[in-house]
């Protein structure tokens, strides 16, 4: 039973560029959430996707956008990258998304130079 | 919004020692989870414990929802227990994380 998988594991970009991160949820899960974790901090909620729609959004600018596909996989897109976007980006999956255990992927480490 | 505070921020133990980590939250919740983040960044879900007590091997957790706190107990600690322990509570569909407790276990 595959867990949550994310790609790529590491990424280096320059300021102003755009980036796309990918996530496949755990088998049987239909809900995907994205989190940003800065160094030394706890993860911060970006948004959640359910039934291919954004269900809830955290305090992140519109430069952060996402998509969920019919097979429940998801993408996180970040436009006009800033140095402050450098962080570990974590994808989590669950069933339903409200009162279920979350399972996290290993993350994508994004460095913006 | 809801606030989550964890204590202590750092903990250093010798192998075999026991420890208690605390999580206080500012509002009533119906979903509380404990995670362990290993040195490679992987977040492992330890417990889903909105109330009551659960045990899993050397780890156990207790949540007293009416008093807005949760405790994570680690007994007979091992070097592989090292890492950061996070408490997180649900606000809508979002998990709100505390800043974590960094645990270092030496042999």
């Amino acid at each position: 039973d595959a867990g949550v998988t994310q790609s790529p594991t590491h990424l280096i970009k320059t300021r102003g560029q755009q980036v796309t991160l990918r996530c496949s949820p755990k088998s049987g899960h239909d809900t995907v959430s994205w989190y940003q974790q800065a160094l030394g901090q706890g993860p911060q909620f970006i948004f959640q996707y359910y039934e291919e729609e954004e269900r809830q959004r955290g305090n992140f600018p519109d430069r952060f956008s996402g998509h969920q596909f019919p097979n429940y996989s998801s993408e996180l897109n970040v436009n006009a990258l800033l140095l402050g976007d450098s962080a570990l980006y974590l994808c989590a999956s669950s069933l339903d998304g409200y009162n279920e255990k979350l399972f996290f992927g290993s993350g994508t480490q994004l460095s913006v130079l | 919004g809801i606030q989550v505070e964890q204590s202590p921020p750092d903990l250093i133990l010798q192998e075999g020692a026991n420890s208690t980590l605390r999580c206080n939250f500012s509002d009533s919740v119906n979903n509380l989870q404990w995670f362990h983040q290993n040195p490679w960044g992987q977040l492992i879900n330890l417990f889903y414990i909105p109330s009551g007590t659960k045990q899993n091997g050397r780890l156990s957790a207790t949540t007293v929802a009416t008093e807005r706190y949760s405790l994570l107990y680690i007994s007979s600690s091992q070097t592989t227990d090292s890492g950061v322990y996070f408490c997180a509570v649900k606000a809508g569909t979002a998990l709100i994380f505390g800043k974590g407790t960094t645990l270092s276990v030496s042999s």
Side-chain angles (χ1 to χ4, degrees):
Chain A
D1 178 19
V4 181
T5 57
Q6 292 187 243
S7 62
T9 55
H10 296 85
L11 206 49
I12 300 175
K13 293 286 188 178
T14 56
R15 278 180 301 173
Q17 285 190 311
Q18 178 264 344
V19 68
T20 297
L21 311 181
R22 295 176 174 82
C23 171
S24 292
K26 180 179 168 63
S27 177
H29 285 181
D30 59 4
T31 304
V32 173
S33 304
W34 288 91
Y35 289 78
Q36 180 196 65
Q37 187 177 19
L39 196 62
Q41 302 294 318
Q44 283 197 293
F45 176 76
I46 303 175
F47 41 52
Q48 184 184 86
Y49 276 84
Y50 173 72
E51 292 188 344
E52 302 181 49
E53 291 195 358
E54 184 182 290
R55 185 154 68 175
Q56 185 176 349
R57 187 180 184 91
N59 189 24
F60 280 80
D62 291 345
R63 299 186 297 109
F64 289 77
S65 63
H67 189 78
Q68 185 178 34
F69 299 94
N71 67 352
Y72 307 123
S73 66
S74 176
E75 289 182 348
L76 165 65
N77 301 292
V78 187
N79 294 323
L81 284 167
L82 304 173
L83 296 179
D85 295 332
S86 295
L88 179 66
Y89 288 84
L90 294 161
C91 171
S93 76
S94 60
L95 187 61
D96 174 276
Y98 279 100
N99 288 310
E100 289 285 329
K101 281 178 70 168
L102 252 63
F103 293 84
F104 281 83
S106 299
T108 294
Q109 185 66 54
L110 173 65
S111 298
V112 182
L113 306 178
Chain B
I2 192 166
Q3 304 294 318
V4 180
E5 293 183 358
Q6 292 186 243
S7 60
D10 300 284
L11 195 53
I12 299 174
L13 299 175
Q14 286 285 330
E15 208 168 20
N18 303 327
S19 60
T20 301
L21 283 58
R22 187 177 179 100
C23 171
N24 293 330
F25 41 95
S26 61
D27 206 347
S28 59
V29 298
N30 57 8
N31 183 324
L32 185 144
Q33 303 184 33
W34 283 96
F35 294 88
H36 174 221
Q37 189 166 40
N38 65 26
W40 298 272
Q42 176 75 52
L43 268 172
I44 305 297
N45 195 308
L46 299 175
F47 293 102
Y48 167 74
I49 184 165
S51 63
T53 298
K54 289 187 178 180
Q55 180 150 10
N56 184 2
R58 296 181 295 104
L59 274 59
S60 65
T62 295
T63 297
V64 184
T66 53
E67 296 188 20
R68 300 181 185 172
Y69 74 89
S70 183
L71 302 174
L72 178 69
Y73 305 96
I74 305 174
S75 63
S76 304
S77 58
Q78 301 176 357
T79 55
T80 51
D81 295 331
S82 296
V84 184
Y85 289 81
F86 289 104
C87 160
V89 300
K90 271 291 182 79
T93 66
L95 267 184
I96 309 301
F97 284 78
K99 292 186 177 180
T101 292
T102 300
L103 174 64
S104 299
V105 181
S106 57
S107 57

